[in-house]
Amino acid sequence: MAVAAIGINFADCVTRMGLYSSAKHYVGYPVTPGFEVSGTVLECGAAVTDLEPGTAVIAVTRFNGYATRVCVDRKQVFLKPQRLAFEAAAGLPTVSLTAWFALFQLAHIQAGDTLLVHSAAGGVGSMLVQFGKLSGCKVIGVVGASHKAAAVTALGADAVIDKSTQELWTEAERHAPGGFDVILDANGISTLKQSYRHLAPVGRLVVYGFHSMLVTRNGLPGKLRLAWDYLRTPRFSPFDLTTRNRSVLGFNLSYLFEKRELIATGMQQILQWLDEGKIVPPTVTHYAFESVADAHRDLESGQTVGKLVLTCQESAQL
Ligand SMILES: NC(=O)c1ccc[n+]([C@@H]2O[C@H](COP(=O)([O-])OP(=O)(O)OC[C@H]3O[C@@H](n4cnc5c(N)ncnc54)[C@H](OP(=O)(O)O)[C@@H]3O)[C@@H](O)[C@H]2O)c1
């Protein structure tokens, strides 16, 4: 397919830093990052009868998405909803599938549950907030900078904790005195211990990233700091889990890529909700393909809202 736009994920930055384990596992360095693209079909294999050149599509890739052309299995391709521009479509799959998997396949949220969503204004956070509300949950979003709060409120969160001006856990206790049913945490070291402590009985802590370990200087995190944070990362005791009736769940979708049926089921549900107007894609900030370094720097600054997307001029002119 000819790529019109490419979604950027925090994992792309980690891949670039040389620290993404599934990049080492499946490809080996050097590796081209990129998990998601949108564009138009150029050519189909003989066995593909339901797509034709020119069809507007979204595709998920396991690496190699930062490209003007990609060749992918039919099962990784989904029709682009007409209502979405190529940029919004490229930014949809990874964050939506991550949020969908966390909430519906692992945490099994129920109406009435109280959720705490860290980094709620980010790509994954934007979808967690919306899926939580769609499911009838009370959603408390956490942001690290004041300019992000309005975006989380607009997505439907019941309350937003701005940890740059408020004491996170005092506020969290005010909103959920009995603890949270589900906490979604991709911060890692900076919040993981307290997230676990703030679970209600039968509460589930979903761990899906470690971005607070990745404070970078000149594009690379300090090795000593990384090692120190690794050692300080909480290890959960099976005795404590059982006594307190708490669960800790973790996942990384890039290791689940072979589960094509799962990805198809998730995408089908996400596209249906989108079509029905029940969810919106994350807001998108565009960068030219050549400005990918700026996009990574901005994402690593921790200040962005929604998704960052690269646009490919070359393909757009086809
Ligand atoms: N396990 C999986 O399968 C899977 C799949 C997709 C994404 N993820 C993970 O989900 C998380 C969110 O990914 P995303 O692409 O949607 O990114 P994002 O949330 O749009 O951006 C990252 C956010 O993390 C927070 N943050 C905290 N410490 C940071 C640091 N040192 N550097 C940069 N940001 C920092 C910032 O928000 P606040 O300051 O507002 O908290 C920042 O905006 C990442 O950890 C990513 O690795 C996991």
Side-chain angles (χ1 to χ4, degrees):
M1 62 183 272
V3 175
I6 303 159
I8 298 188
N9 289 281
F10 196 77
D12 303 345
C13 303
V14 187
T15 301
R16 192 206 69 236
M17 292 171 204
L19 296 171
Y20 204 63
S21 58
S22 79
K24 288 180 196 162
H25 182 79
Y26 291 107
V27 186
Y29 281 87
V31 53
T32 303
F35 288 116
E36 53 191 354
V37 297
S38 66
T40 47
V41 174
L42 280 176
E43 218 178 318
C44 298
V48 178
T49 52
D50 59 342
L51 289 177
E52 57 186 39
T55 309
V57 290
I58 308 174
V60 292
T61 58
R62 184 164 58 195
F63 306 104
N64 298 317
Y66 285 19
T68 51
R69 301 276 188 280
V70 296
C71 179
V72 288
D73 191 285
R74 171 68 187 90
K75 289 187 177 136
Q76 293 164 228
V77 178
F78 306 90
L79 292 179
K80 181 182 83 62
Q82 274 184 351
R83 66 163 74 187
L84 290 193
F86 280 109
E87 289 83 0
L92 184 72
T94 308
V95 293
S96 306
L97 284 167
T98 304
W100 174 82
F101 189 80
L103 295 179
F104 302 113
Q105 299 292 304
L106 290 187
H108 296 288
I109 55 170
Q110 305 288 328
D113 280 351
T114 303
L115 273 49
L116 186 73
V117 178
H118 290 289
S119 305
V124 179
S126 299
M127 302 317 294
L128 287 168
V129 170
Q130 293 188 72
F131 292 163
K133 287 312 299 173
L134 186 60
S135 308
C137 300
K138 176 179 170 183
V139 178
I140 312 299
V142 182
V143 294
S146 304
H147 69 273
K148 301 179 180 182
V152 180
T153 305
L155 291 169
D158 295 275
V160 183
I161 303 174
D162 171 7
K163 61 182 181 182
S164 71
T165 59
Q166 294 174 295
E167 207 293 306
L168 166 57
W169 296 111
T170 309
E171 283 301 303
E173 284 162 21
R174 193 168 67 76
H175 290 295
F180 290 88
D181 299 298
V182 179
I183 300 186
L184 291 307
D185 192 328
N187 285 320
I189 185 67
S190 65
T191 52
L192 212 45
K193 191 187 266 184
Q194 287 294 344
S195 289
Y196 180 72
R197 283 195 183 147
H198 285 81
L199 288 177
V202 205
R204 287 86 75 203
L205 168 61
V206 184
V207 182
Y208 65 101
F210 303 92
H211 47 228
S212 66
M213 283 173 85
L214 296 162
V215 177
T216 52
R217 196 182 296 164
N218 301 324
L220 285 171
K223 283 189 180 157
L224 267 181
R225 159 91 197 251
L226 265 182
W228 176 234
D229 283 350
Y230 175 80
L231 291 172
R232 291 188 306 141
T233 298
R235 272 65 171 167
F236 300 98
S237 155
F239 302 111
D240 200 64
L241 292 171
T242 45
T243 310
R244 293 182 193 272
N245 278 301
R246 292 173 179 173
S247 300
V248 180
L249 306 153
F251 71 101
N252 182 330
L253 279 189
S254 68
Y255 285 97
L256 292 176
F257 202 71
E258 268 73 36
K259 292 194 176 289
R260 303 281 160 85
E261 293 309 317
L262 185 77
I263 290 173
T265 305
M267 276 305 285
Q268 225 167 7
Q269 177 64 88
I270 291 155
L271 292 171
Q272 188 186 325
W273 281 333
L274 197 82
D275 191 48
E276 292 167 355
K278 291 181 174 168
I279 57 165
V280 292
T283 55
V284 162
T285 306
H286 308 185
Y287 295 77
F289 193 50
E290 298 72 24
S291 303
V292 60
D294 292 333
H296 274 214
R297 264 189 290 273
D298 288 351
L299 187 56
E300 287 165 46
S301 75
Q303 299 302 307
T304 58
V305 170
K307 280 288 294 194
L308 311 190
V309 166
L310 301 175
T311 51
C312 297
Q313 280 308 319
E314 188 195 323
S315 298
Q317 285 161 5
L318 283 174

